[in-house]
Amino acid sequence: MILQTLKDATPEVTSGILVVVFLSCLLFTFKQYFILTEAVFSVGANVFLNGEVHRIFLYPFYHRTSVQLLLNIGVLMLLCGSFEKGVGTVRFLFLFVTLSTCTGLCYALLDLFLHDTTQNPAEGLVPIALALVAVTTMHTRMAKGFFCGVSIPTMSLPWVFLIVTFLFIPHTVLPCNIIAILIGWVYGKGWLSVLDMSEARASVLEKSAPFKFLKNIPGVRHVPVSPEERRKTLLPEFNPTPGSYPVQAYAPMSSAVAMGTTSPQMYYEGWPNAPAAAVNGSSSTSQGLGSEFPGGHTTTQSYNHSHDHSTCHGHVLDMHKFHTFSVFPGISIGVLLDWKRRRIGYQIPVISQSQTYDRFDPMVTFRQS
């Protein structure tokens, strides 16, 4: 049971996140193997001072320690998994590169202006994860969000995650994360629509060899670009076999107590016996909509009226209408009878207050007290 709980709590691995994690691990292994200097791929003022433009593109995948790498991967999977499922793998990777490049460029300019006072290079996946969260908050219709069981405004979620990541993840640069959130909001507003990728272009790119390879990776979900295909992938159709769902069947009344005056052939354990009713009830008007219940019971939707309207009237109302009655007990019985009069086209005798009904019967049977 514990393993099942952990499995349900673990985010699903998607193709886009797998690519980002693989590149991060590859760059970390490269740095450890060749024993490179610290902050060799971090973004900062060196982008403009030394002409190291490659840092703008590599800083999201660079991590100094293994602890920083694992924590950044966890933040990415928790915060960006749903974003990829909403836009597709191709557009997720494109937005990841676009937002990371804009964030790195803006932070390099800021670090260049502050180069005389302080120098703090930035790296890791946290800034891009916060930028994608900011994009999500701009497009969602939810006014409130939940964080650790506390309801907070949706627009404040990126700032809450900013504080949490700054406190618990090492080598996190606060100004770079703030810039990432602002870049995400600007993109969510549509002010960077020139840099966006259309769905048609993403569909063409999805047919290329690298993305075909990602589709065939076992255990990893590839999210298509097309909304129809994405809906089929994330929400597959479920066609249950007949009889797979349990059906609660309640007898209208006990055959031993309530059917003392009725012929035993008319009922079986409280359920109407359709063949016997057809033989014995020759003076009744029946409109059949037969359905079999588990255990060999058969019911018919019928309305039995004698010509002289004697003291015993059996009225079997529609199952679905009584279900509404059971959910909303404030609806009176007269409302149901009025509906039934309009539906079947002839008069149904009004039931007096002395008559009772079985509340939990799927097809209500009225009888004299």
Side-chain angles (χ1 to χ4, degrees):
M1 183 176 181
I2 298 178
L3 295 178
Q4 183 64 29
T5 304
L6 293 176
K7 183 179 179 181
D8 296 338
T10 304
E12 186 180 14
V13 180
T14 53
S15 300
I17 292 180
L18 180 64
V19 171
V20 174
V21 172
F22 175 75
L23 294 177
S24 300
C25 296
L26 183 64
L27 190 60
F28 179 77
T29 305
F30 178 81
K31 179 253 180 184
Q32 293 294 114
Y33 182 78
F34 291 99
I35 315 177
L36 301 178
T37 58
E38 292 291 335
V40 63
F41 294 118
S42 300
V43 67
N46 292 329
V47 173
F48 299 102
L49 295 178
N50 301 329
E52 299 175 349
V53 184
H54 63 277
R55 294 186 177 218
I56 298 179
F57 305 99
L58 295 180
Y59 82 94
F61 310 104
Y62 175 71
H63 301 84
R64 302 185 188 182
T65 62
S66 58
V67 176
Q68 182 189 13
L69 174 63
L70 294 177
L71 291 177
N72 277 257
I73 290 175
V75 170
L76 180 71
M77 294 182 65
L78 290 174
L79 300 184
C80 301
S82 59
F83 183 86
E84 181 179 355
K85 294 178 181 179
V87 298
T89 299
V90 177
R91 298 185 68 185
F92 168 77
L93 293 176
F94 176 79
L95 289 176
F96 184 91
V97 174
T98 302
L99 295 179
S100 63
T101 303
C102 294
T103 302
L105 184 61
C106 293
Y107 180 72
L109 290 172
L110 178 64
D111 193 50
L112 180 63
F113 293 146
L114 302 177
H115 181 67
D116 296 334
T117 59
T118 181
Q119 185 176 4
N120 193 8
E123 71 276 334
L125 299 171
V126 172
I128 317 307
L130 295 177
L132 293 176
V133 171
V135 175
T136 305
T137 56
M138 295 301 297
H139 288 278
T140 183
R141 297 180 180 180
M142 296 178 60
K144 294 289 185 179
F146 290 90
F147 180 76
C148 296
V150 180
S151 177
I152 58 177
T154 304
M155 298 299 296
S156 63
L157 281 176
W159 304 107
V160 174
F161 292 137
L162 171 69
I163 298 174
V164 173
T165 54
F166 179 73
L167 294 177
F168 296 100
I169 298 181
H171 307 291
T172 301
V173 182
L174 186 61
C176 182
N177 293 344
I178 294 176
I179 291 176
I181 294 176
L182 296 178
I183 292 293
W185 277 355
V186 170
Y187 183 86
K189 284 286 188 180
W191 297 341
L192 297 179
S193 58
V194 180
L195 303 177
D196 198 3
M197 176 183 288
S198 63
E199 183 179 334
R201 185 176 301 177
S203 300
V204 175
L205 186 60
E206 190 178 27
K207 299 177 182 179
S208 59
F211 291 101
K212 288 183 178 179
F213 173 75
L214 291 176
K215 292 180 180 180
N216 298 326
I217 299 178
V220 179
R221 184 184 293 276
H222 179 81
V223 185
V225 177
S226 174
E228 292 78 10
E229 296 180 1
R230 187 164 62 243
R231 191 179 301 112
K232 293 178 181 179
T233 303
L234 301 178
L235 301 174
E237 295 182 359
F238 178 69
N239 297 323
T241 58
S244 60
Y245 287 104
V247 179
Q248 293 181 344
Y250 299 93
M253 60 196 74
S254 176
S255 59
V257 178
M259 297 298 165
T261 59
T262 308
S263 176
Q265 291 80 11
M266 294 291 295
Y267 291 88
Y268 177 79
E269 289 299 328
W271 293 98
N273 192 355
V279 174
N280 298 331
S282 58
S283 62
S284 62
T285 302
S286 176
Q287 296 179 354
L289 184 58
S291 60
E292 295 185 358
F293 285 86
H297 306 301
T298 304
T299 62
T300 56
Q301 182 179 346
S302 59
Y303 311 91
N304 301 324
H305 301 278
S306 60
H307 295 286
D308 55 352
H309 292 290
S310 60
T311 58
C312 181
H313 297 278
H315 302 284
V316 182
L317 298 184
D318 192 293
M319 180 190 300
H320 304 289
K321 291 303 174 180
F322 178 69
H323 181 68
T324 306
F325 174 77
S326 63
V327 175
F328 304 99
I331 301 177
S332 63
I333 301 175
V335 174
L336 298 178
L337 293 180
D338 291 338
W339 174 87
K340 188 59 64 176
R341 291 193 192 99
R342 292 193 299 270
R343 177 155 183 188
I344 64 178
Y346 55 84
Q347 185 70 20
I348 295 179
V350 179
I351 297 178
S352 62
Q353 296 181 355
S354 61
Q355 294 173 327
T356 60
Y357 64 96
D358 293 325
R359 183 176 181 81
F360 299 100
D361 174 20
M363 302 179 69
V364 187
T365 300
F366 293 91
R367 65 179 185 274
Q368 290 286 346
S369 299

